Amino acid sequence: MSTVASPAAKPIVDEPPPQPQRWGAAELARLTTMVNQPSLFYWKGPQTTALIEEFRKLYPFKHVFPCSSGTAALHIAVAALHLRPGDEVIVPPITDMGSVIGILYQQCVPVFADLDPRTYNLDPAAVRRAITSKTRAIMAVHLAGNPADLTALSAIAKEHNLILIEDCAQSWGAKHRGTPVGLVGDFGCYSLNDFKHIACGDGGIVATNSETYGPGLSKWGDKSYDRVNGGREVEELAPNYRISEPQSAVAAAQLTKLPDIVTRRHRAGSLLTSLLEGTPGLLLPTVASGDTHSYWFYMLRLELARFSIPRAEIAAALNAEGVPCGAGYIPRPVYQYPVFQKHNFFGGAWPVRDSGLTKMDYRAVSCPVSEAILQDCLTMRITEAMTDGYIEKVARAFTTVTKRLAK
Ligand SMILES: *Cc1c(COP(=O)(O)O)cnc(C)c1O
């Protein structure tokens, strides 16, 4: 008998991962109204106005700018700060490339700080160590839907006069001590791409309560045109990151479903943790007390020293029992991507470094906790359609397989 294959003919998880019906009557109703509009332009468009209203019901920000992607939302937030070339923004190494694209396009320098081994979010002590005289902002990513330690990060930001940008792309509906993520720092940035909790194909939202940065948000996402006063005296270089009415129509309808989606995902993810608690060989994600994880996915770590076979084979054994998990997340920390290792940002060059505005060398960066997480983690997609019964089967498969494969 193989050590990996299931001894049973039937896998423990004997059904495919339950998939929700993501779009339906609510989206169709908005799209039907939309096709009778004379224009699909976003500015003051009825669908984009509705999107802003629905968003504000859950996230009561003063200034809200829907845009074309989460990457765009983050770029707009960074651009709004008016940073100088060579200024630094502290970021985590395990994230989507979209977190750092805007920083680089603004000729600024992403500085990677290491993570907490159990939340996979920025370690406040590592953030402190990364601060220099050029640091202007911290970008906190709430990985997988688990809120970063915003209390500690806000305190650090305040102490050092830094802006705190929250990358909430993976954390729709997550809360830090009762406050929806995005509202704790200076900016909340959200993604509506197809893979997120709620989606409209592609889209994003950047929001702030700041009276310094808020009124200018739209200019930074709309070629620096002044839609409010109608002016076209372009004073800054800004891209076109506009959303459009079809995207807004779907997104506005999706937002009405968010609380239910988050309740269900939170229940599934928390149940999995409680059922796996104490299983030898598994390091489960921790959620700070008082916080709400919204489980875009479920990420846990293997204590590989307790197993006789490598992670890929453990994942294969779990897959054979019907667990829809994968070995790993992103292939390597972001700073190890070829674009960083070669400093290949603009036509094979990196002007801010070539002109002496930074000494950053990404080949010399090392974040050991992040590297270890990516070596031993497993990730599993959570959906709002997963019932308690389904999660119970997944947990049984985990305990059975880990027991069978333990040294
Ligand atoms: C998805 C994602 C983004 C980028 O969002 P897009 O809408 O795909 O541009 C940024 N940061 C994180 C953490 C993400 O997961």
Side-chain angles (χ1 to χ4, degrees):
M1 187 178 75
S2 150
T3 53
V4 171
S6 166
K10 195 175 152 194
I12 297 170
V13 185
D14 57 357
E15 56 180 311
Q19 299 301 330
Q21 174 67 40
R22 301 181 72 192
W23 300 283
E27 288 75 12
L28 197 56
R30 287 217 158 271
L31 289 166
T32 304
T33 311
M34 187 200 76
V35 293
N36 290 310
Q37 294 174 197
S39 160
L40 300 182
F41 192 62
Y42 85 108
W43 187 255
K44 298 226 187 290
Q47 304 306 325
T48 306
T49 303
L51 169 58
I52 294 169
E53 273 170 23
E54 291 297 340
F55 179 78
R56 280 213 180 101
K57 286 182 193 165
L58 301 170
Y59 295 91
F61 280 99
K62 287 203 196 97
H63 304 277
V64 178
F65 184 69
C67 55
S68 56
S69 70
T71 304
L74 289 156
H75 189 172
I76 291 167
V78 171
L81 302 180
H82 267 273
L83 303 184
R84 307 278 306 163
D87 282 352
E88 297 174 355
V89 180
I90 296 173
V91 295
I94 300 183
T95 188
D96 183 83
M97 193 59 198
S99 304
V100 295
I101 286 171
I103 300 170
L104 288 160
Y105 270 108
Q106 292 308 117
Q107 308 302 331
C108 295
V109 180
V111 174
F112 293 91
D114 213 350
L115 303 180
D116 178 280
R118 297 300 292 275
T119 65
Y120 330 129
N121 283 323
L122 279 175
D123 171 2
V127 170
R128 273 187 194 281
R129 289 195 295 275
I131 293 172
T132 73
S133 61
K134 287 187 168 178
T135 310
R136 298 289 174 262
I138 301 167
M139 185 181 290
V141 176
H142 308 298
L143 200 77
N146 195 12
D149 187 348
L150 290 172
T151 300
L153 295 174
S154 311
I156 295 169
K158 206 165 180 191
E159 191 182 317
H160 293 270
N161 199 21
L162 309 174
I163 294 293
L164 179 58
I165 298 171
E166 293 184 58
D167 178 343
C168 307
Q170 303 189 357
S171 56
W172 281 105
K175 290 181 177 166
H176 175 66
R177 301 191 178 171
T179 302
V181 294
L183 280 154
V184 180
D186 299 285
F187 291 87
C189 302
Y190 306 80
S191 168
L192 291 157
N193 89 20
D194 193 55
F195 308 100
K196 303 291 157 66
H197 291 74
I198 53 170
C200 63
D202 267 307
I205 297 176
V206 52
T208 182
N209 281 325
S210 159
E211 291 305 337
T212 308
Y213 305 117
L217 285 185
S218 72
K219 279 182 144 188
W220 289 108
D222 193 354
K223 308 179 196 175
S224 195
Y225 291 168
D226 184 352
R227 296 283 167 203
V228 181
N229 304 304
R232 282 215 180 175
E233 290 296 346
V234 172
E235 299 196 17
E236 313 269 6
L237 180 64
N240 173 358
Y241 281 154
R242 297 188 303 237
I243 199 165
S244 67
E245 286 284 274
Q247 292 157 291
S248 292
V250 175
Q254 287 273 286
L255 271 166
T256 64
K257 302 176 177 179
L258 183 66
D260 182 57
I261 289 171
V262 170
T263 302
R264 290 168 186 277
R265 282 172 175 253
H266 174 72
R267 182 179 174 92
S270 321
L271 178 62
L272 187 56
T273 296
S274 70
L275 293 172
L276 293 180
E277 211 90 66
T279 307
L282 300 184
L283 291 171
L284 306 176
T286 56
V287 183
S289 87
D291 283 8
T292 308
H293 191 321
S294 66
Y295 293 98
W296 185 50
F297 58 85
Y298 191 94
M299 187 159 165
L300 75 169
R301 301 179 66 187
L302 295 166
E303 288 182 281
L304 288 170
R306 287 174 174 262
F307 296 95
S308 47
I309 56 173
R311 176 178 66 172
E313 288 178 41
I314 299 170
L318 287 160
N319 295 159
E321 289 293 2
V323 177
C325 69
Y329 174 44
I330 56 173
R332 52 185 56 85
V334 170
Y335 58 79
Q336 286 181 0
Y337 286 165
V339 63
F340 281 93
Q341 291 293 300
K342 295 177 183 164
H343 303 101
N344 176 26
F345 300 122
F346 297 94
W350 192 19
V352 284
R353 199 166 83 130
D354 300 344
S355 59
L357 291 168
T358 182
K359 290 189 167 60
M360 175 60 76
D361 181 350
Y362 290 110
R363 292 164 302 187
V365 173
S366 150
C367 294
V369 177
S370 306
E371 291 172 23
I373 291 169
L374 292 174
Q375 293 295 318
D376 61 23
C377 72
L378 296 176
T379 46
M380 185 178 111
R381 284 301 287 272
I382 296 286
T383 76
E384 54 274 23
M386 289 177 173
T387 59
D388 290 2
Y390 180 83
I391 294 293
E392 280 157 15
K393 289 182 206 173
V394 168
R396 204 158 355 106
F398 263 106
T399 48
T400 307
V401 168
T402 49
K403 201 168 172 188
R404 194 193 324 142
L405 299 179
K407 260 184 192 160

